[in-house]
Amino acid sequence: MTTFDMAEASLREVNSALHAATSGEFVIENPRGAHAVAAGINSEIDVTINGPVGYYCAGMNQGGNVRINGNASAGLAENIMSGTVHITGSATMSAGATGHGGLVVIEGNAGSRCGISMKGVDIVVGGNVGHMSCFMGQSGNLVVLGDAGADLGDSLYETNIFVRGTVESLGSDCVEKDMEPEHLETLARLLAASGLDADPGEFIRYGSARQLYNFHIDDIDAEVRASGGAS
Amino acid sequence: MRIRAAAITGECNDMCGIVGLFLKTERHRPELGRLTAAMLHEMRSRGLDSAGFAVYDEGTVGTSRITVLAEGQTPDWEPTRAALEAALGAGVVARPLHDHAVFETIGDSGAARQWIIDNEPGLSVLSHGKQIELFKSVGDPDLVASRYDLASRTGTHAIAHTRMATESAVTTNGSHPFVTGPDTCLVHNGSLSNHHQLREQLVANGESFQTLNDSEVAAGYLSWRLREGDTIDAALERALVDLDGFYTFAIGIENGFAILRDPIACKPAVIAETDDWVAMSSEFRAIAQLPGVDDAEVWEPEPARIYTWSREGVPA
């Protein structure tokens, strides 16, 4: 096991060592909210970060198993490809944004736009998610044990959204859907993988109404109104 | 290597940084300035062209103060002090600090402010009230903090700003915070898109502006609403309707501060609270400096929601 103390080591030194590694366990102490900690991991290494991290922590993760004992700023696990990023605290904006694969677990709350434009990643949030979460989500699963903020799943493609609590409002083209056995199985699998305890039967599934896939002339008025033009 | 890493992450950041610190208990009041300076330092990479801060203490009963700027000069303040004293008919004490000076008087700060505006065209009044002192300048935030002695200041709360100019020139008067009324000021991260139109309306309502800065328009808007009798909450509710653009605001008021993000909320903000303090910043790393932060409740403020903290017993 290798330990880095970011009170002493620079971000570049730490990340270069993580990029060079092909296996092993690493511990990072004193990140003190620094940006891009453990971003760009490209192998199946285990990394534990003790303390709060800044923007883009574990971004672009490919294969790594990253655990953060603390909170994170914007862009946690942004564009994750595979592996796991698990945070014990909360994350602010855009957690798991554009992720292609892997698993992101947030034990606390996630801020606005959690899972924006997600492309296959699974995201499990123990608390609440903020407004415009899963905006333009394309595939993967977003699981929220708490509540969801306004405009959930706006302009959604094929991501499944599971929420146990309340939803402040659904975004354009996002609707409540039936929970089929396959969805309950997916939920049970993701809850087990994330280590968060909840009954899959308590969740409601939301998905795309698929009304925005093709252009409709009737939408023109809505577009004009939204842009502040004459209606 | 450390510097290169900082430069790379800096490029990813948004423009401008905000910090605010409100001390709920006596415990850290002797170190308000030191803590605020440490927070400001962390926000350097978000705006290296100018910086400013407003510090509030509990004031002295019967005394008010104004902070005055003579941009780029270090004038002899005595003639101004003596003339102001004569005009107010009340004692005035001057505390010069480079191109700023704080005038303290048992007279009325509003009258003192108006006298400076009417009689000293080379000076700008940065703040007036009973508790606020406000300093700002172009230059590296760390240099601005040390030049105006931020670290040694004591008090109850402070807000500060690092600026990366986007909407107007890099000048001291274009720096934040902007005064919005007695003991009230504003810092802004973002950009307003309807500030030209709003400025014309506000000028018609009697506001005056010193710069072409969009944030000054937001400050002028709040000044107008507060003068019309709105509470800070009512003024901000109305701002949500009338201001178009991106913003995270921190507003210093005599007994606390308020935070507001626009309904889209793409400009970052994080709040942390312990039994002793409430802190807000554009990024957590500024808050990571504070004592007891490991036990703080930390969250991202919701869009279009007004957050206000104030000292007990003093209405916000």
Side-chain angles (χ1 to χ4, degrees):
Chain A
M1 190 175 75
T2 308
T3 301
F4 298 101
D5 184 350
M6 288 193 66
E8 304 288 334
S10 72
L11 175 69
R12 178 59 60 91
E13 286 165 353
V14 173
N15 282 349
S16 295
L18 299 182
H19 298 165
T22 53
S23 64
E25 290 178 37
F26 299 84
V27 176
I28 299 170
E29 303 284 355
N30 290 311
R32 295 177 178 172
H35 295 324
V37 177
I41 289 174
N42 199 24
S43 59
E44 293 180 7
I45 57 174
D46 292 312
V47 179
T48 302
I49 303 168
N50 293 315
V53 292
Y55 291 6
Y56 315 128
C57 180
M60 302 175 284
N61 185 57
Q62 190 153 320
N65 176 24
V66 180
R67 183 182 177 89
I68 301 135
N69 295 310
N71 297 312
S73 285
L76 173 74
E78 185 178 65
N79 212 63
I80 180 174
M81 303 302 288
S82 59
T84 305
V85 175
H86 186 129
I87 186 163
T88 59
S90 295
T92 60
M93 296 189 284
S94 306
T98 74
H100 287 253
L103 174 67
V104 178
V105 180
I106 298 163
E107 291 188 20
N109 300 316
S112 57
R113 293 177 276 273
C114 178
I116 182 171
S117 197
M118 54 193 280
K119 297 171 172 67
V121 64
D122 293 320
I123 303 174
V124 183
V125 180
N128 308 325
V129 295
H131 71 287
M132 294 203 86
S133 285
C134 213
F135 177 53
M136 294 186 81
Q138 288 145 58
S139 73
N141 298 284
L142 173 64
V143 180
V144 182
L145 276 65
D147 303 330
D151 297 324
L152 178 70
D154 194 288
S155 306
L156 199 61
Y157 291 84
E158 293 304 314
T159 301
N160 279 311
I161 305 175
F162 303 97
V163 182
R164 186 168 65 162
T166 61
V167 174
E168 188 176 331
S169 64
L170 293 173
S172 178
D173 208 36
C174 182
V175 294
E176 186 176 331
K177 292 199 158 184
D178 292 338
M179 187 80 90
E180 307 291 348
E182 65 184 275
H183 302 122
L184 289 169
E185 276 171 35
T186 300
L187 248 181
R189 176 175 57 80
L190 291 175
L191 288 165
S194 63
L196 296 176
D197 186 29
D199 174 2
E202 294 176 351
F203 289 77
I204 292 175
R205 181 170 77 101
Y206 302 91
S208 174
R210 302 185 178 119
Q211 297 301 302
L212 296 179
Y213 272 57
N214 301 301
F215 176 76
H216 292 291
I217 189 68
D218 294 345
D219 292 337
I220 276 283
D221 280 349
E223 288 295 318
V224 170
R225 275 199 303 278
S227 66
S231 59
Chain B
M1 195 176 253
R2 196 180 292 256
I3 292 166
R4 280 185 62 199
I8 288 164
T9 56
E11 286 166 8
C12 305
N13 289 342
D14 293 357
M15 283 125 349
C16 298
I18 293 176
V19 305
L21 179 61
F22 173 60
L23 301 176
K24 294 153 74 177
T25 63
E26 302 274 346
R27 188 171 172 190
H28 296 297
R29 288 184 186 167
E31 10 171 38
L32 174 71
R34 183 182 69 76
L35 297 172
T36 306
M39 294 176 77
L40 189 69
H41 171 74
E42 290 296 323
M43 291 299 97
R44 277 176 79 233
S45 61
R46 297 186 67 92
L48 274 169
D49 67 44
S50 25
F53 60 86
V55 177
Y56 294 76
D57 61 24
E58 289 174 84
T60 310
V61 175
T63 304
S64 58
R65 44 177 101 141
I66 60 174
T67 317
V68 174
L69 165 72
E71 185 163 7
Q73 307 166 46
T74 41
D76 176 8
W77 293 97
E78 178 52 27
T80 304
R81 187 206 64 77
L84 181 59
E85 190 169 80
L88 294 176
V92 173
V93 176
R95 283 190 280 119
L97 196 53
H98 301 284
D99 51 355
H100 290 55
V102 178
F103 290 114
E104 286 190 320
T105 177
I106 53 168
D108 173 35
S109 70
R113 171 179 176 271
Q114 198 57 50
W115 185 87
I116 297 276
I117 291 169
D118 293 343
N119 296 281
E120 297 279 0
L123 302 180
S124 310
V125 181
L126 298 185
S127 71
H128 63 288
K130 292 186 181 305
Q131 280 129 1
I132 188 174
E133 294 184 15
L134 196 162
F135 298 84
K136 59 187 185 179
S137 178
V138 296
D140 184 309
D142 281 352
L143 294 178
V144 173
S146 67
R147 187 187 306 146
Y148 302 108
D149 216 9
L150 173 57
S152 70
R153 289 175 188 274
T154 62
T156 52
H157 56 294
I159 60 173
H161 186 268
T162 62
R163 181 174 186 227
M164 187 180 291
T166 56
E167 298 288 311
S168 63
V170 177
T171 62
T172 295
N173 278 320
S175 312
H176 304 220
F178 288 101
V179 68
T180 56
D183 285 312
T184 313
C185 67
L186 167 140
V187 295
H188 172 210
N189 173 204
S191 59
L192 300 180
S193 42
N194 65 340
H195 65 101
H196 289 295
Q197 184 190 9
L198 206 52
R199 182 192 307 268
E200 287 174 13
Q201 292 167 3
L202 290 168
V203 167
N205 287 332
E207 288 299 320
S208 58
F209 295 92
Q210 301 179 59
T211 70
L212 294 174
N213 188 291
D214 60 326
S215 309
E216 192 188 11
V217 174
Y221 178 86
L222 290 183
S223 301
W224 168 58
R225 290 317 314 161
L226 294 171
R227 208 177 56 236
E228 292 289 313
D230 279 4
T231 62
I232 192 77
D233 281 31
L236 290 174
E237 286 285 357
R238 198 160 164 146
L240 279 167
V241 177
D242 289 341
L243 301 187
D244 185 17
F246 298 119
Y247 49 85
T248 294
F249 291 133
I251 297 112
I253 50 181
E254 60 177 342
N255 51 16
F257 67 59
I259 309 295
L260 177 65
R261 302 172 83 194
D262 68 75
I264 303 290
C266 63
K267 290 298 176 185
V270 58
I271 297 175
E273 182 166 15
T274 69
D275 289 342
D276 286 321
W277 49 257
V278 177
M280 79 78 57
S281 181
S282 305
E283 296 178 33
F284 183 77
R285 62 193 164 120
I287 294 170
Q289 316 300 314
L290 296 175
V293 68
D294 291 344
D295 299 321
E297 184 190 355
V298 184
W299 75 97
E300 181 181 353
E302 289 174 23
R305 177 169 164 188
I306 299 160
Y307 295 82
T308 316
W309 285 270
S310 59
R311 288 202 304 277
E312 281 178 26
V314 188

